[in-house]
């Protein structure tokens, strides 16, 4: 396999922690993205490491039994520890207060606490097998106040910290899901929904939490369900079903990702792409729900964007006192059975003591996705796409990989469509600010200029000016490309910058194509402007009619 083919990689600076052993328990907190290493119930130390922490947090706590769950509040001020099925203990880690523990027992009689989630710096949710209890933690009083509770039979739960939504699995087959949304002291019940199970009369397996994930994709919350056997017997293989979960209104089944294989899978979401890892083949595939799929009347079916590839091989660097200069790093076992994935983009190897972020590499995708239009649709949705898009544009104009003119036109149109969207958003923002002068305009947000906005100066500097200097390219092709870009700008109703016209004129003059220049000016293919008139005046020595053309242009102005 070509080494340039890997489009997924593990972060080069993983979070290192003491690996799980019979004396060291490892926990992961999805909200703070922290790994807890708890030795001997905390008596010989607790070490907490997060992705940004240069210095880990370490402390000791009394060993009061086996720790089932341990998490900091948002901001790391209060520690919550669950050791029994009935209670959660709290420790204030704020300098002013003593480290006295205080406890909260779940309110529901005979209920068993399955776990808990911090939803803010002072608010926590207990999930029991009989419902949920939402508390405010009063640190200075060392007590908790019940804000709201809801009775419901719970099989298991899942928390999405990015959207502050807890998903509860209920019903005998675990297939009825009830989401709750938490925001500054309020708990809102969202629409519950049912996951469709196979219609066969054979014994139906319960839905496991391993087959469910929650993630935000393109700003919308989705529940992802890994269905091991496709509903239609005609299409064997597993599939991932995406349910859109709006804040209000019913949940709707929207997309089906076809995996075309069976076996053990794990899901991540990176840069709005759904990544599906397949343990048996040690490969992964990616899906982009914004790319055109096949709509069957109710849902959109998607195939993988690219062929399956392994994550880029990873070397474990040798560190510590035993490291010897020149020692060969050990290759890491990818897709190991000890890997645990967390949403959206985390992979943990508890047995090796590593936490990685999964990342997408765009450069190799350029060679794997040959359809330039689809490639642009894909790249324009990615976070760090600018340099790759500009290199694709340069590449399609080069002698070696030259694309046909209609393909180049398609690429320009897609780029200018994004560019126009941004210009319109900027314009609306300016109007809103002007109309709300003197009044509070906190609601008016300036549009964020993403990397997908490739403007005329980007194209001119990185692509077109370099391209017009290429000696081996026929001048007819150069002019055709420049005019195609100008046509695309006009089509999107974007005013063309004068330096692009200047580039056209300079190219025409360089190749003595004065008749074409005359025609372009006469038929207003090149719009009149002062800078252009001045440029024409300077051409009088090589092309005498330029003098009159420039005067006509100035007169119009």
């Amino acid at each position: 396999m070509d080494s340039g083919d890997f489009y997924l990689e593990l972060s080069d600076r993983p979070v290192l922690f003491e690996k799980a052993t019979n004396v060291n328990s490892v926990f992961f907190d999805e909200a703070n993205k922290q790994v807890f290493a708890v030795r001997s119930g905390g008596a010989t130390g607790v070490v907490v490491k997060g992705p940004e922490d240069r210095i880990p947090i370490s402390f000791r706590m009394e060993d009061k039994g086996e720790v089932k769950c341990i998490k900091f509040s948002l901001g790391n001020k209060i520690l919550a520890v669950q050791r029994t099925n009935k209670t959660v203990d709290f420790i204030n880690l704020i300098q002013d207060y003593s480290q006295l523990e205080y406890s909260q027992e779940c309110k529901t009689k005979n209920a068993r606490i399955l776990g808990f989630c911090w939803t803010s710096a002072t608010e926590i949710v207990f999930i029991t097998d009989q419902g949920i209890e939402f508390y405010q933690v009063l640190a200075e009083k060392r007590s908790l106040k019940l804000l709201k509770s809801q009775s419901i039979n719970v099989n298991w739960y899942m928390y999405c910290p990015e959207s502050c939504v807890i998903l509860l699995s209920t019903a005998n087959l675990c297939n009825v899901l009830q989401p709750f949304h938490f925001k500054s002291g309020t708990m809102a019940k969202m629409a519950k929904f049912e996951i469709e199970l196979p219609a066969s009369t054979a014994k139906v397996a319960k839905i496991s939490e391993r087959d469910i994930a929650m993630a935000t994709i393109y700003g919308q919350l989705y529940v992802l369900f890994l269905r091991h056997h496709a509903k239609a017997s005609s299409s064997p293989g597993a599939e991932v079903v995406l349910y859109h979960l709006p804040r209000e209104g019913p949940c709707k089944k929207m997309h089906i990702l076809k995996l075309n294989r069976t076996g053990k899978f794990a899901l991540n979401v990176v840069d709005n792409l759904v990544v599906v890892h397949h343990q048996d083949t040690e490969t992964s595939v990616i899906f982009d729900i914004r790319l055109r799929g096949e709509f069957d009347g109710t849902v959109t079916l998607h195939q993988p964007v690219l062929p399956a590839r392994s994550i880029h091989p990873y070397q474990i660097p040798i560190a510590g006192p035993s490291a010897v200069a020149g020692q060969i790093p050990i290759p890491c076992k990818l897709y190991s059975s000890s890997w645990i994935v967390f949403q959206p983009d985390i992979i943990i190897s508890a047995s090796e003591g590593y936490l990685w972020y999964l990342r997408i590499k765009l450069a190799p995708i350029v060679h794997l996705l040959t359809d330039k239009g689809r490639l642009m649709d894909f790249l324009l949705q990615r976070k760090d796409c600018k340099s790759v898009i500009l290199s694709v544009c340069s590449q399609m104009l080069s002698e070696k990989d030259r694309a046909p003119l209609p393909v180049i036109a398609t690429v320009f149109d897609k780029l200018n469509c994004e560019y126009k969207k941004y210009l319109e958003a900027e314009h609306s923002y300016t109007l809103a600010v002007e109309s709300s002068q003197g009044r509070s305009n906190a609601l008016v947000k300036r549009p964020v200029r993403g990397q997908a906005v490739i403007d005329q100066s980007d194209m001119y500097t990185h692509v077109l000016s370099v391209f017009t200097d290429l000696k081996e390219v026929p001048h007819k092709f150069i002019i055709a490309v420049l005019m195609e870009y100008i046509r695309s700008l006009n089509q999107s109703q974007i005013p063309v910058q004068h330096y692009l016209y200047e580039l056209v004129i300079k190219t025409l003059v360089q190749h003595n194509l004065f008749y074409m220049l005359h025609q372009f000016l006469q038929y207003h293919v090149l719009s009149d402007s002062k800078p252009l008139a001045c440029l024409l005046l300077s051409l009088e020595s090589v092309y005498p009619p330029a003098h009159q053309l420039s005067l006509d242009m100035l007169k119009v102005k």
Side-chain angles (χ1 to χ4, degrees), residues 89-285:
D89 303 323
F90 295 85
I91 307 169
N92 295 337
L93 288 178
I94 315 165
Q95 262 60 53
D96 323 348
Y97 310 126
S98 67
Q99 278 212 4
L100 284 174
E101 286 194 13
Y102 49 103
S103 296
Q104 177 64 50
E105 194 169 313
C106 65
K107 296 281 187 208
T108 318
K109 217 177 169 187
N110 303 325
R112 195 165 50 87
I113 298 175
L114 302 176
F116 61 84
C117 304
W118 286 97
T119 57
S120 77
T122 56
E123 286 158 0
I124 193 166
V125 183
F126 290 7
I127 299 97
T128 75
D129 58 353
Q130 294 179 36
I132 53 174
E133 303 173 5
F134 184 33
Y135 292 95
Q136 183 179 10
V137 182
L138 309 164
E140 59 283 6
K141 290 185 178 173
R142 285 208 280 279
S143 67
L144 277 76
K145 175 186 164 192
L146 182 67
L147 299 174
K148 204 170 180 185
S149 64
Q150 173 90 38
S151 290
I152 176 173
N153 282 336
V154 182
N155 302 307
W156 46 260
Y157 75 96
M158 193 162 280
Y159 180 46
C160 178
E162 285 74 23
S163 54
C164 250
V165 170
I166 291 178
L167 192 66
L168 305 179
S169 153
T170 182
N172 287 342
L173 294 169
C174 308
N175 65 321
V176 176
L177 301 179
Q178 174 64 68
F180 288 88
H181 176 243
F182 297 84
K183 191 180 180 186
S184 51
T186 63
M187 174 174 110
K189 193 176 185 179
M190 294 161 70
K192 79 172 170 190
F193 64 102
E194 196 171 322
I195 299 266
E196 295 170 19
L197 294 166
S200 69
T201 50
K203 187 178 181 293
V204 178
K206 288 184 178 183
I207 288 182
S208 154
E209 62 195 290
R210 278 199 306 271
D211 295 332
I212 298 278
M214 254 196 306
T216 302
I217 306 169
Y218 292 118
Q220 299 295 315
L221 181 62
Y222 288 90
V223 169
L224 291 77
F225 167 48
L226 178 60
R227 187 155 55 194
H228 288 278
H229 303 286
K231 276 191 83 183
S233 53
S234 57
S235 63
E239 53 192 30
V240 178
V241 187
L242 267 66
Y243 292 85
H244 177 224
L245 209 59
R247 192 60 45 85
E248 279 157 21
C251 172
K252 192 165 177 254
K253 185 163 85 165
M254 301 280 285
H255 301 275
I256 292 180
L257 317 179
K258 305 296 283 179
L259 302 180
N260 309 316
R261 47 176 53 158
T262 56
K264 271 190 176 172
F265 298 97
L267 305 172
N268 276 128
V269 173
V270 182
D271 201 0
N272 292 312
L273 296 165
V274 179
V275 182
V276 184
H277 309 290
H278 187 231
Q279 203 184 355
D280 310 0
T281 56
E282 298 188 0
T283 59
S284 305
V285 285

